[in-house]
């Protein structure tokens, strides 16, 4: 599971009132290895520029730090000129697109529901008694 996905996930228990953000516990984080053609560009500034307004930046920073992603480091707050700051955009791209949580647990801050992550896929299926 990439941090881009995590940033948009929330608890799906119907009675839960504080669904976001899901905490990540016991995370095993690995870099994603891509096989690229020589002509293929791996960094897409436009993609990152489109995604930043859609994510909760404070949650991204807190989550990255909580699971040990300190390099590359994100600033605490979104820089004023972030859209034109290529080093910043590259850092965000790396954290959103090149790191993967391969196992661990997502934990709801409201109800405590645990969603396991196995083989980089969070299991968000509720039990029959939770529906």
């Amino acid at each position: 599971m990439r941090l881009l996905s995590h940033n948009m996930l929330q608890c799906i228990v119907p009675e839960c009132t504080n669904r976001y953000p899901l905490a990540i516990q016991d995370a095993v984080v690995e870099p994603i290895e891509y096989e690229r053609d020589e002509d293929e560009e791996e960094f897409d500034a436009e993609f990152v520029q489109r995604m930043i307004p859609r994510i909760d930046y404070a949650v991204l920073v807190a989550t990255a730090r909580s699971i040990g992603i300190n390099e590359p480091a994100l600033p605490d707050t979104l820089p004023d000129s972030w859209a034109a700051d290529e080093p910043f955009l590259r850092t965000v791209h790396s954290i959103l697109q090149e790191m993967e949580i391969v196992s661990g647990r997502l934990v709801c801050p409201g109800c405590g529901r645990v969603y396991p992550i196995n083989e980089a896929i969070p299991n968000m299926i509720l039990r029959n008694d939770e529906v």
Side-chain angles (χ1 to χ4, degrees):
M1 178 184 72
R2 295 180 184 172
L3 289 187
L4 177 59
S5 299
H6 169 265
N7 199 273
M8 299 179 185
L9 287 177
Q10 62 180 348
C11 182
I12 59 173
V13 173
E15 296 82 26
C16 186
T17 58
N18 183 16
R19 301 168 181 258
Y20 180 85
L22 298 173
I24 300 175
Q25 297 178 347
D26 304 323
V28 174
V29 181
E30 295 179 357
I32 298 173
E33 300 293 330
Y34 293 103
E35 292 186 26
R36 300 191 190 284
D37 295 334
E38 288 182 26
D39 296 333
E40 186 178 354
E41 185 172 307
E42 59 185 74
F43 170 65
D44 184 351
E46 289 181 23
F47 171 79
V48 179
Q49 290 166 334
R50 287 190 313 269
M51 292 313 299
I52 287 178
R54 294 183 171 117
I55 64 172
D56 185 325
Y57 182 77
V59 168
L60 176 64
V61 171
T63 301
R65 291 178 182 164
S66 77
I67 62 174
I69 300 176
N70 299 312
E71 288 297 324
L74 288 170
D76 291 338
T77 58
L78 196 58
D80 291 334
S81 60
W82 64 266
D85 185 344
E86 185 173 327
F88 171 75
L89 294 174
R90 285 184 177 276
T91 297
V92 173
H93 177 268
S94 175
I95 291 172
L96 289 178
Q97 293 295 100
E98 297 176 358
M99 301 290 187
E100 184 171 56
I101 301 166
V102 294
S103 66
R105 306 178 317 153
L106 299 172
V107 181
C108 176
C111 66
R113 172 66 157 87
V114 175
Y115 302 95
I117 303 167
N118 293 306
E119 296 181 18
I121 301 170
N123 181 347
M124 303 292 290
I125 299 173
L126 295 177
R127 298 181 310 264
N128 287 339
D129 64 330
E130 296 174 308
V131 178

